[in-house]
Amino acid sequence: MDYKSYIAEKLNIDGVSVEDIASFIEIPPNTEMGDYALPCFKLSKLLRKSPIAIAEGLAASFERDDMVSEVSAVNGYLNFKINRVGYADTLLNEIIGKGDKYGSDSIGSGKTVCIDYSSINIAKPFHIGHLSTTVIGSALCKIFRFLGYKVVGINHLGDYGTQFGKLIVAFKKWSSEAAVLEGRLKELSRIYVKYHEEAKLHPEMDDEARRYFKLIEDGDKESNELFELFKKITLEEVDKIYKLLNVSFDSYAGESFYNDKMDAVVDEIRAKGLMKMSDGASIVDLEEYGMPPCLILKSDGSTLYATRDIAAAVYRKNTYDFDKCLYVVAYQQNLHFKQFFKVLELMGKPWAKDMVHVAYGMVSLESGSMSTREGKVVLLEDVINKTIEKAFKVIEEKNPNLPDKENTARAVGTGAVIFGALCNNKIKDIVFSYDRVLSFEGETCPYVQYTVARANSVMAKCGKGGEYRNVNMSADEYEVISCLGKFGDIVKSAAEKYEPSFVTRYSLDLATAFNKFYMNCKIAVDDENVRNFRLKITKAVKITLTNALTLLGIETVEQM
Ligand code: ARG
């Protein structure tokens, strides 16, 4: 129910469009004042009257009805009270009727969004720096799907570059197939770190590494087998984490996938007269746009990260015909995206405007920034496992008889990690702290999950409920109703702003409103009308919170 438009239409003010009036209407911070308010100073210039006179005039002429039951003029504001019981009825029935579809929409139907996220690098440890892109991207996939879009989730693997030559050198010197199969990513990371220590003393190792990388490119059997081994180990390891985080992809086409697709793109850039030579390298000059040049080919003819991204964008457009292509990548790479988006535009691709860099903040450690080369990282797997362990301990302490403790601890532990990463505006930098992730106090996922479990236990205790008539709604009840009604808009603005944290914050607000209602309004009362109404609210809250958490990739638990 769109009350703003409904009110605007009824107001019917000469010379002001319904859309404008609707956009002026606000939701007052204190619902005691009214459910909606029109600040009349926004109209005073146009109508050449004081806000007070406008408000009074409109209050006198507005016809009250079944939808809007009260209108009053207060200090130049026109306050509206809607028929709350009628509204609650319609809304609760809608939520319960739609169930896990409540909040969804069809605005995206017929449209496709590509989302490039997680995009890990082969043979590198999966550390907490990858958490943001992974969970933000995954939540955006779920949010866009919920709105009816066709979504293509892409893991643009970092599986190309001299580092694989380095890894082969390191492997031959200090490891073996058996050791890699046993030690997995930790072993690969160990030899990679060692390589960088040793190469400082023996720079000639880098020549050898370049030679091996060339061998990979030239199709040498042994080098490619090793590379495939590194790739396989990496994907198996990260897959475990993806499973825990409820993350999945539609494509794993990474950098090397574009090996045979770059010539065409490079030719096109050249044919369009965009290519310039600079110190032997081929570049697209972007000075006119206030940017350093975009490197297309090194002086030895090899391609770069940007070349692969340009080829990938063209491939995605041809393959998926996207309406939007999102890149969930840290803001560190701002320039890279600006540059290659510009190159696409200069190449005359009209869809260059549909490319979006969804930038997010950096994660650093309390001891400074992370570094794979120095082995200074916190592994995501360790964080998740520790959090699950902690959840298990808390359950043992507080609710030792809970059935299926392991599963609950897993849902709560991983939920805490995901929620923690999606809690704040995505552009904010984060200093990683174990204490904070492990804390279950305050604005956290366990709090929201606990609220769902509480709603469940209320329903289990009070039975199914039934119809009700003539309820007098209290402020606490209305607070929950009003919050429930906002979910659809929240999901849409989360998609529009690429900001899953809107959903996270919303789940906290709804949980808080529900818990206040739960404290102040006894549900298991004798009066059947009141009990049934409150049970219905409880059921709707459970559905809506579950839907919100599901969009974030977080599971709910029946009991906690
Ligand atoms: N693998 C890259 C990195 O870790 C991120 C890739 C992002 N996606 C892209 N199409 N450039 O920095």
Side-chain angles (χ1 to χ4, degrees), residues 71 118 150 164 201 271 275 289 299 305 365 391 504 519:
V71 183
S118 200
K150 175 168 184 261
F164 299 107
L201 309 171
M275 202 83 97
Y289 310 99
S299 51
Y305 183 48
L365 304 179
T504 321
M519 289 302 163

Side-chain angles (χ1 to χ4, degrees), residues 116 119-121 156 158 255 305 309 316 327 329 333 336-337:
D116 177 322
S119 299
I120 50 145
N121 299 321
H156 185 77
E255 292 189 39
Y305 183 48
D309 257 329
R316 287 172 194 176
Y327 296 82
V329 184
Q333 295 191 28
H336 164 73
F337 285 99

Side-chain angles (χ1 to χ4, degrees), residues 207-221:
D207 297 328
E208 214 186 329
R210 268 190 288 274
R211 227 189 47 243
Y212 273 115
F213 177 56
K214 184 95 188 11
L215 282 175
I216 298 179
E217 285 204 288
D218 293 346
D220 171 67
K221 187 159 174 281

Side-chain angles (χ1 to χ4, degrees), residues 15 63 120 131 156 161 178 193 220 264 386 388 426 450 468 510:
E63 262 181 59
I120 50 145
L131 179 60
H156 185 77
V193 171
D220 171 67
K386 272 201 194 178
I388 294 175
K426 63 183 183 294
Y450 183 72
Y468 56 86
L510 180 56

Side-chain angles (χ1 to χ4, degrees), residues 402 404 407-412 446 449-454 456 542 546 549 555-560:
L402 187 77
D404 206 5
N407 225 1
T408 308
R410 186 190 46 76
V412 172
Q449 285 168 319
Y450 183 72
T451 307
V452 176
R454 171 177 269 174
N456 256 324
K542 179 191 168 178
T546 305
L549 291 183
E555 288 166 48
T556 52
V557 290
E558 292 289 305
Q559 284 184 54
M560 217 169 130

